[in-house]
Amino acid sequence: MKRTAFFISDGTGITAETLGHSLLSQFEAIRFQKITLPYIDTVEKAKLTVEKINAACEADGEPAIVLDTIVDEDVSAELAKSNGFKIDVFSTFLKPLERELKTHSSYTVGKSHAIIEMNRYKDRIDSVNFALDNDDGARTQQYDRADIILVGVSRCGKTPTCLYMALQFGVRAANYPLTEEDLENPKMPDVLQQYRHKLYGLTIDPFQLAAIRHERRPNSRYSSLDQCDFEVRTVERLFQQQDLPFINTTNFSIEEISTRIIAAKDLIRRVN
């Protein structure tokens, strides 16, 4: 089955898109063509959007799913004229909250993604810069400022996880690659010893690691299955011997990996 889903907003569309992805992911039998339309903030834009929705309805032979976070009542009313199945996020969730809290909401466009607290926003930007500066063990002298230090073999997901935690949560994350030389020792590298309480290990299925490395250095010892299997087995044994917490990244998204690490280490989330 195929259906078209529209995520529409008079702001960035991030809220509608995020909620929409979460809801539609529960319907595995249906293949959704997802379309995000941000900054639909005038009646004229809404009319053009209605045309797109109706065209999708006709092409699919089924009503399109329309999930919107429109604040302006005139724009919202215009969208309601489409042939799609419309879900107004604000009216669905804010109205019951208003009744419970006995007050009206601000109905402000882009409120959840605005820079409300400048200090916290600056913390997130600083965290991104920190993650970039401390990628692959580049500046171990800055590890005293790190909230978390990810360790693992090359290409197991350390860098994208660090960047995601920095961008989304303002976590100062560094990462250190464990090389073949490091794995010959029965303990963590000396440079990491004093930061043991900040360490968290990443591992991965050897077959997936080999496939990832093959894209970077095809037909090399570095990407061979034997080498990948050796490194993964050795690093997992090291994590266990050192009683170091770790996660296998094979079947988890970056979002899941990051959230699990933040929860396990009880890290502070610097978000607005």
Side-chain angles (χ1 to χ4, degrees):
M1 296 176 63
K2 174 185 173 295
R3 297 286 286 271
T4 302
F6 289 87
F7 308 137
I8 303 171
S9 174
D10 40 16
T12 63
I14 296 174
T15 300
E17 190 175 56
T18 301
L19 180 59
H21 283 308
S22 297
L23 293 173
L24 297 184
S25 67
Q26 304 301 314
F27 301 91
E28 298 178 359
I30 302 176
R31 180 170 60 88
F32 290 100
Q33 179 184 359
K34 301 170 184 176
I35 301 172
T36 301
L37 300 175
Y39 302 112
I40 306 302
D41 50 9
T42 66
V43 172
E44 289 70 25
K45 290 181 181 179
K47 290 179 178 179
L48 294 175
T49 300
V50 167
E51 293 178 7
K52 294 179 181 179
I53 295 171
N54 290 344
C57 294
E58 185 176 351
D60 294 346
E62 297 282 356
I65 306 301
V66 180
L67 194 146
D68 77 82
T69 54
I70 300 293
V71 171
D72 187 283
E73 292 183 359
D74 292 335
V75 175
S76 182
E78 190 62 38
L79 285 178
K81 297 177 182 178
S82 78
N83 297 326
F85 176 75
K86 185 175 180 293
I87 302 173
D88 185 331
V89 173
F90 282 160
S91 65
T92 301
F93 296 104
L94 286 183
K95 292 298 184 183
L97 277 173
E98 286 179 337
R99 290 194 294 269
E100 173 62 26
L101 299 174
K102 298 179 178 61
T103 185
H104 292 290
S105 63
S106 63
Y107 282 86
T108 304
V109 178
K111 190 77 169 180
S112 64
H113 300 286
I115 302 174
I116 300 172
E117 295 185 35
M118 183 55 70
N119 288 338
R120 285 188 178 272
Y121 178 76
K122 184 176 180 297
D123 281 340
R124 289 169 61 194
I125 298 304
D126 288 344
S127 296
V128 172
N129 290 329
F130 182 87
L132 293 171
D133 287 342
N134 291 274
D135 187 37
D136 275 347
R139 299 186 180 182
T140 57
Q141 69 272 18
Q142 294 187 15
Y143 281 2
D144 60 316
R145 295 179 51 223
D147 297 315
I148 188 81
I149 303 170
L150 302 185
V151 293
V153 300
S154 171
R155 312 306 285 182
C156 68
K158 300 184 301 299
T159 297
T161 301
C162 284
L163 288 173
Y164 182 84
M165 287 195 293
L167 183 60
Q168 295 296 323
F169 305 114
V171 172
R172 289 188 294 272
N175 72 78
Y176 186 94
L178 294 172
T179 64
E180 226 180 322
E181 183 179 346
D182 292 325
L183 296 177
E184 291 175 357
N185 298 315
K187 63 178 184 178
M188 285 291 159
D190 292 339
V191 71
L192 298 178
Q193 289 297 331
Q194 62 179 311
Y195 305 110
R196 182 180 177 83
H197 61 291
K198 297 183 179 184
L199 302 183
Y200 200 98
L202 298 188
T203 184
I204 190 173
D205 177 80
F207 288 93
Q208 183 166 326
L209 180 61
I212 294 171
R213 288 184 173 183
H214 184 75
E215 294 180 3
R216 188 178 186 188
R217 298 182 195 170
N219 303 316
S220 64
R221 178 173 174 271
Y222 169 78
S223 63
S224 70
L225 181 57
D226 285 344
Q227 179 64 23
C228 292
D229 183 62
F230 163 74
E231 290 185 26
V232 169
R233 283 189 293 105
T234 304
V235 78
E236 288 183 354
R237 185 165 58 247
L238 177 61
F239 291 157
Q240 293 166 349
Q241 291 173 344
Q242 296 291 306
D243 195 25
L244 194 72
F246 68 95
I247 184 174
N248 188 311
T249 65
T250 306
N251 297 314
F252 293 124
S253 66
I254 296 299
E255 294 86 348
E256 290 175 298
I257 297 167
S258 301
T259 303
R260 287 172 180 268
I261 292 173
I262 290 172
K265 300 294 286 185
D266 196 23
L267 300 179
I268 297 174
R269 301 185 183 209
R270 302 180 183 90
V271 295
N272 285 339

